[in-house]
């Protein structure tokens, strides 16, 4: 087993394609395929499954990749320490539901870490894709919520993906509305108060199940419904159409307009927001720092409620 083979495996996992990885590595596709095959034979496991749709990482492959990344990162640090070369480009990825505190922590990570070179990703995406990203090591951290309704299904997918959920905080439900909405003067709102207004929710694509909804109370029937794919559009429609959405009530006014406010929703529900990680992967220094910034961003926003 060589360091070069480990780098090959990591690039294939990142690219999700042997052909694309070979191009990125500036080697031929047959050479890369042979190197991966030799490594799999040496360690006695199948790291990748090849299909017409691309590369799939096996459970054993996910565990192997976790160790491989640590070895390569340590080798780069060692080389940088003793050969006076420049620092290696840093990589870090997060997949999350549409939470402002996730963005706030990401901004702080970049501002305070500030390496010379980096390739970071923040994917605000669908619930199933968050789980899939962390399962297949496209992201190191995933951020989502569970509640009494969806927890059995979500935790089943987490177990199958060898993932674990770490709770960050528990929130009582709120609605996000425009500060100009007639409901903005209320101390709290009820579900019947919301009936005249358009309900905004995030599209979940092929996995548009109630259990994967980013909003609680997803099984309720509402007279006016609009689905969106991004937070900016949702906020624009909250303002333009006097719509509403249901969330935690945690909103960053540093990153978002003060035209959006949170009002408590009078329902007997709780939202447990947390982050997910892969059981077979040790958190990187960047991941641990980001998690700390997440906690601090959440605490700051909760104090402002």
């Amino acid at each position: 087993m060589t360091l070069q083979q480990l780098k090959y495996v990591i690039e294939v996992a990142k690219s999700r394609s042997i052909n694309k990885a070979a191009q990125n590595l500036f080697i031929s596709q047959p050479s890369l395929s042979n190197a991966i095959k030799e490594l799999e034979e040496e360690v006695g496991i199948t790291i990748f499954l090849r299909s017409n749709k691309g590369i799939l990482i096996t459970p054993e492959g996910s565990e192997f990749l976790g160790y491989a990344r640590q070895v390569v990162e340590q080798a780069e640090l060692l080389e940088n320490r003793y050969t006076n070369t420049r620092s290696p480009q840093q990589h870090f990825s997060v997949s999350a539901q549409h939470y402002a505190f996730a963005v706030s922590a990401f901004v702080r990570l970049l501002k305070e870490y500030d390496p010379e070179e980096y390739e970071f990703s923040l994917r605000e995406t669908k619930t199933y894709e968050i789980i899939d990203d962390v399962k297949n090591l496209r992201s190191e951290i995933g951020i989502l919520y569970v509640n009494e309704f969806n927890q059995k299904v979500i935790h089943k997918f987490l177990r199958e993906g060898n993932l674990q959920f770490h709770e960050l905080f528990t929130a009582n439900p709120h609605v996000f509305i425009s500060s100009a909405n007639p409901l903005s003067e209320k101390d709290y709102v009820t579900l019947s108060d919301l009936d005249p207004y358009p309900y905004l929710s995030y599209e979940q694509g092929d996995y548009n199940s109630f259990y994967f909804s980013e909003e609680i109370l997803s099984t309720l029937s509402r007279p006016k419904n609009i689905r969106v794919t991004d937070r900016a559009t949702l906020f624009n429609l909250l303002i333009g159409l006097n719509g509403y959405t249901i969330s935690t009530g945690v909103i960053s006014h540093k990153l978002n307009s003060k035209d959006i406010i949170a009002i408590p929703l009078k329902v007997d529900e709780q939202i447990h927001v947390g982050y997910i990680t892969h059981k077979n992967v040790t958190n990187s220094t960047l991941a641990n720092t980001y998690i700390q910034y997440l906690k601090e961003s959440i605490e700051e926003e909760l104090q402002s409620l």
Side-chain angles (χ1 to χ4, degrees):
M1 184 188 311
T2 67
L3 190 62
Q4 191 64 55
Q5 285 176 312
L6 299 183
K7 291 180 179 179
Y8 286 171
V9 168
I10 293 169
E11 184 59 39
V12 171
K14 176 183 174 183
S15 302
R16 314 296 290 178
S17 163
I18 292 285
N19 288 333
K20 187 175 179 181
Q23 292 173 10
N24 294 340
L25 293 165
F26 302 103
I27 62 173
S28 69
Q29 185 268 331
S31 295
L32 179 57
S33 294
N34 288 335
I36 298 296
K37 183 179 179 181
E38 289 173 4
L39 178 60
E40 288 178 324
E41 290 176 351
E42 180 181 350
V43 297
I45 64 171
T46 299
I47 301 172
F48 300 114
L49 295 176
R50 288 79 167 172
S51 71
N52 292 333
K53 295 182 180 179
I55 293 295
L56 297 176
I57 305 172
T58 66
E60 295 85 0
S62 293
E63 183 175 11
F64 182 85
L65 276 160
Y67 288 113
R69 282 194 171 92
Q70 293 179 59
V71 171
V72 170
E73 288 173 1
Q74 291 299 316
E76 288 175 343
L77 290 172
L78 189 65
E79 181 180 2
N80 180 59
R81 173 67 177 82
Y82 290 104
T83 62
N84 294 319
T85 59
R86 66 180 182 179
S87 299
Q89 187 180 55
Q90 299 296 303
H91 296 265
F92 179 64
S93 295
V94 176
S95 295
Q97 292 177 330
H98 298 76
Y99 296 125
F101 59 80
V103 181
S104 296
F106 195 80
V107 169
R108 183 176 171 189
L109 180 69
L110 281 169
K111 283 185 174 180
E112 299 195 9
Y113 187 71
D114 194 27
E116 292 182 3
E117 292 188 18
Y118 57 81
E119 184 177 327
F120 283 16
S121 297
L122 174 58
R123 300 184 66 226
E124 287 192 329
T125 188
K126 304 172 182 65
T127 303
Y128 178 83
E129 291 182 1
I130 295 168
I131 296 171
D132 194 60
D133 282 350
V134 180
K135 172 185 173 182
N136 289 301
L137 307 179
R138 288 189 291 273
S139 289
E140 195 170 348
I141 303 290
I143 302 170
L144 46 71
Y145 86 91
V146 295
N147 69 343
E148 186 177 5
F149 174 73
N150 74 1
Q151 62 182 354
K152 287 185 179 179
V153 172
I154 296 296
H155 282 298
K156 174 180 178 291
F157 275 83
L158 296 183
R159 285 194 302 272
E160 291 174 350
N162 211 14
L163 309 176
Q164 51 191 342
F165 179 84
H166 314 264
E167 184 164 327
L168 288 165
F169 69 102
T170 299
N172 294 318
H174 286 66
V175 294
F176 286 157
I177 59 174
S178 163
S179 58
N181 189 300
L183 298 176
S184 63
E185 299 300 322
K186 286 180 168 287
D187 293 330
Y188 63 86
V189 296
T190 64
L191 290 172
S192 59
D193 290 331
L194 298 169
D195 281 343
Y197 303 96
Y199 169 63
L200 303 172
S201 61
Y202 288 106
E203 172 64 43
Q204 294 297 322
D206 293 338
Y207 291 86
N208 204 27
S209 156
F210 293 132
Y211 298 108
F212 287 103
S213 173
E214 192 165 327
E215 303 80 20
I216 66 167
L217 306 174
S218 57
T219 59
L220 295 181
S221 176
R222 297 173 173 86
K224 303 175 183 179
N225 296 273
I226 302 173
R227 289 192 176 92
V228 301
T229 57
D230 66 275
R231 188 151 43 98
T233 299
L234 184 139
F235 280 5
N236 286 337
L237 293 176
L238 290 184
I239 296 171
L241 297 176
N242 269 342
Y244 74 94
T245 193
I246 300 175
S247 189
T248 62
V250 179
I251 185 170
S252 173
H253 288 299
K254 292 180 180 178
L255 298 176
N256 298 293
S257 167
K258 293 187 178 181
D259 293 333
I260 304 296
I261 61 173
I263 304 291
L265 176 62
K266 193 174 183 181
V267 291
D268 186 20
E269 296 276 349
Q270 285 192 318
I271 304 170
H272 303 274
V273 180
Y275 65 92
I276 60 174
T277 57
H278 203 293
K279 289 183 179 179
N280 294 331
V281 178
T282 302
N283 288 348
S284 66
T285 300
L286 284 171
N288 286 329
T289 303
Y290 179 73
I291 291 166
Q292 182 58 37
Y293 289 166
L294 267 180
K295 294 175 180 178
E296 293 175 7
S297 294
I298 291 165
E299 183 178 359
E300 180 181 331
E301 298 303 334
L302 286 175
Q303 289 176 353
S304 66
L305 287 179

